[in-house]
Structures are given as C-alpha cells and as structure tokens.
Amino acid sequence: SYELTQPPSLSVSPGQTAGITCSGDELGDKYVCWYQQKSGQSPVLVIYQDRKRPSGIPERFSGSNSGNTATLTISGTQAMDEADYYCQAWDSNTGVFGGGTKLTVL
Amino acid sequence: EIQLVESGGGLVPPGRSLRLSCAASGFTFDDFAMHWVRQAPGKGLQWVASIYWNSDRMDYADSVKGRFTISRDNARNFLYLQLTSLRAEDTAFYYCAKDSSGSSWHTFDYWGPGTLVTVSS
C-alpha cells in the first residue's frame, strides 16, 4: 500500500520559516493536500492541489510538490501556527495521510 | 456557512454495530462527494470511506472493507456510516468531510467536529 512519510516534529522560532516535508514514491505525479489540526479541533485545509490556498488561509502558507517530496512552507511563522500538520494524497482511489508533523513555535 | 455535524457515536462492545450520521447544511449537498475520516485518540488521521454525489461509487480503506458501509440521503442532506463487527482498533473520533468535487476524489475541504466511537467491553 502507498505510504506518505513526514518528520514527527519540527521546532521553529517566531518569524522564521518552517518547511514540513512529505515523501512518497513518485509523489510529484499526484496532487497533495495539507491539513492543519490544532489541539482539540478538527482539521482545516490549508493547501490543496500542491500549492493552492483556500480562501481565508494566510499567504504565509505555501506548498510545492516535485519528484518524491512535497513541502509545506510557512513563512514568518507565528505562535498561532503551532499545530499538527498532515499531508494527504490519493492512490488508486484510496485516501492516504502522512503520519503528521507536530510544529512547535518557541 | 457550510456546516457538518456528526452524531451517533458512543460506547459499544466488540462485535456490535453502530450507525453514524452527518447532517450537512450551507451548501448543495447533492453536488459533492463526501467522506469519513477517523482519528484514534492521540494518533494521526486515517481515511475510512468515500461516496460520490449520486452514490454511484464508494471506496473503503482495507481495514474496514466488508464491515463498514457508507451511504447518503440527498433528499435529507445526510451522510451515514454503518459500522459492524466493531473491534477495539476502531475506537476513534470519526469525522465527516466534504469533497470539493462531485464525482472524483479531490480534497477534504470542510470537516465536522467529529463523534467519538469507543469499542470496549
């Protein structure tokens, strides 16, 4: 079965750029979405089709996808961005999530 | 405003059944595919099942295939998940999610608050 791999955790200082990676076999041939989940809340879509932002998502969130790696980049990270982030793609009509990355802003 | 509200969760013994419901509002329900995604307490997200706008296609995770059934009632704007032969490993928050497309799998663009299913004797 298809797998997506994310680093379990990442720490950044406020104002720095955070890059969360998601790797999978030929992932660049698929569309990747990214979801933000704050403690005790439901997930929220922050990036879809590799690099598009839904309305209401700040411009500091951006995405890319090429080769075997997709990346969610948060520029000028703020304390409110502290959350778990999940990448997601479809493979043979099966939904696949990465294991999630806990982003700590300190 | 798009709203998805799940219900039907609770404590159930292993081997029993449960039906989850998701009430949808704020959008044209029968224009969009819908999904169920679950999350065991303290764990990551796991896709469970998906259904086209017209119920022409349903897909399931291998871990629930043959035990869970996804369905929808477009007249009432409801999504359902019938859970049977429940196991301890099915314990999770179950989220209802809307797709951005009607007849293909794209994006979980809106999520409900979830309902907790606990499988335990």
Side-chain angles (χ1 to χ4, degrees):
Chain A
S1 60
Y2 195 78
E3 293 184 358
L4 294 174
T5 301
Q6 299 180 235
S9 62
L10 178 67
S11 295
V12 295
S13 300
Q16 285 192 329
T17 296
I20 300 174
T21 58
C22 173
S23 61
D25 188 42
E26 297 183 333
L27 185 57
D29 292 340
K30 307 178 190 299
Y31 276 137
V32 173
C33 300
W34 289 91
Y35 302 89
Q36 175 195 67
Q37 186 178 33
K38 296 183 179 179
S39 181
Q41 298 183 19
S42 302
V44 172
L45 176 69
V46 294
I47 293 290
Y48 67 101
Q49 289 183 11
D50 296 339
R51 59 182 64 248
K52 297 181 179 179
R53 276 180 296 105
S55 60
I57 300 302
E59 291 184 8
R60 64 180 180 274
F61 288 87
S62 62
S64 63
N65 183 20
S66 179
N68 295 321
T69 304
T71 303
L72 173 68
T73 302
I74 309 173
S75 304
T77 305
Q78 300 184 8
M80 70 173 64
D81 300 329
E82 187 162 287
D84 294 326
Y85 290 85
Y86 296 89
C87 60
Q88 182 265 324
W90 293 94
D91 178 73
S92 301
N93 293 304
T94 296
V96 181
F97 285 95
T101 298
K102 184 176 186 61
L103 178 67
T104 302
V105 182
L106 43 67
Chain B
E1 178 193 7
I2 291 176
Q3 286 198 327
L4 300 169
V5 180
E6 305 90 342
S7 61
L11 175 63
V12 59
R16 301 296 292 269
S17 300
L18 204 61
R19 189 177 84 154
L20 306 182
S21 300
C22 171
S25 61
F27 64 102
T28 304
F29 183 69
D30 57 10
D31 275 351
F32 297 97
M34 297 293 294
H35 309 274
W36 288 98
V37 176
R38 70 184 180 182
Q39 184 173 35
K43 303 298 184 182
L45 300 172
Q46 182 188 23
W47 169 76
V48 174
S50 303
I51 187 168
Y52 275 6
W53 71 275
N54 58 1
S55 303
D56 268 4
R57 183 183 180 104
M58 288 83 84
D59 284 306
Y60 298 90
D62 286 346
S63 58
V64 308
K65 201 172 294 183
R67 300 189 300 122
F68 291 7
T69 302
I70 189 172
S71 62
R72 63 191 296 162
D73 182 340
N74 286 346
R76 298 182 61 230
N77 290 355
F78 269 84
L79 176 73
Y80 302 103
L81 186 68
Q82 180 72 40
L83 294 69
T84 64
S85 303
L86 281 162
R87 306 166 180 167
E89 54 265 36
D90 296 318
T91 294
F93 288 93
Y94 283 75
Y95 296 102
C96 163
K98 171 189 167 294
D99 201 297
S100 58
S101 173
S103 54
S104 58
W105 311 139
H106 279 255
T107 298
F108 308 115
D109 60 358
Y110 290 90
W111 298 63
T115 187
L116 178 61
V117 172
T118 303
V119 183
S120 175
S121 53

